[in-house]
Amino acid sequence: MAGQRKPRGPYRKGIQRREQILDAALEVFAQHGAQGSSLQEIADRVGLSLPGLLHYFGSREELLLAVLERRDVLETENRTTKAVPEIRSPGEAVVRTIRHNMEQPGLVKLFLALAAAATEPGHHAHGFFTERYRDLTAMIQKGLESGQDAGAVRTDADAEHMARLLLAVAD
């Protein structure tokens, strides 16, 4: 029939609202860190009440974890869509990471607080950090092994061990 629109899907508005909340939370946490931020400030920025915000995120902890997940997704998208100069060495990768983190100290504080708490297997963020470090270690290890094959990275040390050391230094 002419003039009828296709259904947009029952979750489209909810997904968009959730992304709007995450964007606002990223800004707030980047500015103030986890300790200096309030859910009410985030709710105010997106025109919601506190109970309305908690409808999308069941708790502060769930929102904090979602913010870190969103940050990782956005940073991955930025690396793949922007013209970023090629990284020539593992040391350069660490320096870039540290410089980038210096631009968002609130998010770094949030990340470190959650990472420390998530060492407990029962913590709600434990799985996120376990998977994140496993994936990052594998990615860095692959880069180091490529560098070893090309003669640009020392071969007398295990690439996985070096990858873990570089992650520790970056953190």
Side-chain angles (χ1 to χ4, degrees), residues 112-133:
L112 292 174
L114 270 181
T119 59
E120 295 295 325
H123 191 274
H124 71 281
H126 181 78
F128 168 77
F129 282 99
T130 300
E131 184 177 321
R132 185 177 194 279
Y133 279 108

Side-chain angles (χ1 to χ4, degrees), residues 118-162:
T119 59
E120 295 295 325
H123 191 274
H124 71 281
H126 181 78
F128 168 77
F129 282 99
T130 300
E131 184 177 321
R132 185 177 194 279
Y133 279 108
R134 183 183 60 239
D135 293 348
L136 282 172
T137 298
M139 182 180 70
I140 294 168
Q141 179 181 347
K142 183 179 176 184
L144 290 168
E145 288 169 346
S146 293
Q148 286 174 329
D149 293 343
V153 174
R154 59 189 285 181
T155 58
D156 63 333
D158 179 66
E160 181 183 3
H161 182 72
M162 287 191 293

Side-chain angles (χ1 to χ4, degrees), residues 81-120:
T81 59
K82 291 183 178 177
V84 178
E86 183 180 343
I87 295 174
R88 295 179 302 269
S89 72
E92 182 180 343
V94 171
V95 168
R96 280 192 196 179
T97 299
I98 292 169
R99 280 189 182 140
H100 177 71
N101 287 343
M102 288 172 62
E103 296 169 359
Q104 47 189 359
L107 287 175
V108 171
K109 288 177 186 175
L110 168 62
F111 177 89
L112 292 174
L114 270 181
T119 59
E120 295 295 325

Side-chain angles (χ1 to χ4, degrees), residues 1-8:
M1 294 186 177
Q4 280 190 327
R5 295 186 336 185
K6 291 183 181 181
R8 294 186 304 172

Side-chain angles (χ1 to χ4, degrees), residues 7-171:
R8 294 186 304 172
Y11 304 110
R12 183 173 177 206
K13 282 188 177 182
I15 291 168
Q16 289 174 337
R17 184 60 128 170
R18 190 173 162 91
E19 289 177 2
Q20 182 185 28
I21 293 167
L22 284 173
D23 289 341
L26 268 168
E27 290 175 8
V28 170
F29 290 124
Q31 292 170 354
H32 307 295
Q35 298 302 322
S37 301
S38 73
L39 294 182
Q40 187 62 58
E41 180 180 357
I42 296 164
D44 290 346
R45 285 193 184 199
V46 294
L48 287 172
S49 65
L50 188 54
L53 176 75
L54 291 173
H55 168 76
Y56 294 95
F57 299 92
S59 66
R60 178 179 175 86
E61 291 75 26
E62 186 181 331
L63 177 60
L64 294 176
L65 182 56
V67 164
L68 291 182
E69 290 170 342
R70 175 89 167 165
R71 183 192 108 173
D72 283 354
V73 167
L74 291 175
E75 288 184 4
T76 299
E77 288 174 1
N78 283 339
R79 278 194 300 268
T80 58
T81 59
K82 291 183 178 177
V84 178
E86 183 180 343
I87 295 174
R88 295 179 302 269
S89 72
E92 182 180 343
V94 171
V95 168
R96 280 192 196 179
T97 299
I98 292 169
R99 280 189 182 140
H100 177 71
N101 287 343
M102 288 172 62
E103 296 169 359
Q104 47 189 359
L107 287 175
V108 171
K109 288 177 186 175
L110 168 62
F111 177 89
L112 292 174
L114 270 181
T119 59
E120 295 295 325
H123 191 274
H124 71 281
H126 181 78
F128 168 77
F129 282 99
T130 300
E131 184 177 321
R132 185 177 194 279
Y133 279 108
R134 183 183 60 239
D135 293 348
L136 282 172
T137 298
M139 182 180 70
I140 294 168
Q141 179 181 347
K142 183 179 176 184
L144 290 168
E145 288 169 346
S146 293
Q148 286 174 329
D149 293 343
V153 174
R154 59 189 285 181
T155 58
D156 63 333
D158 179 66
E160 181 183 3
H161 182 72
M162 287 191 293
R164 291 183 187 281
L165 285 173
L166 285 170
L167 279 172
V169 168
D171 280 354

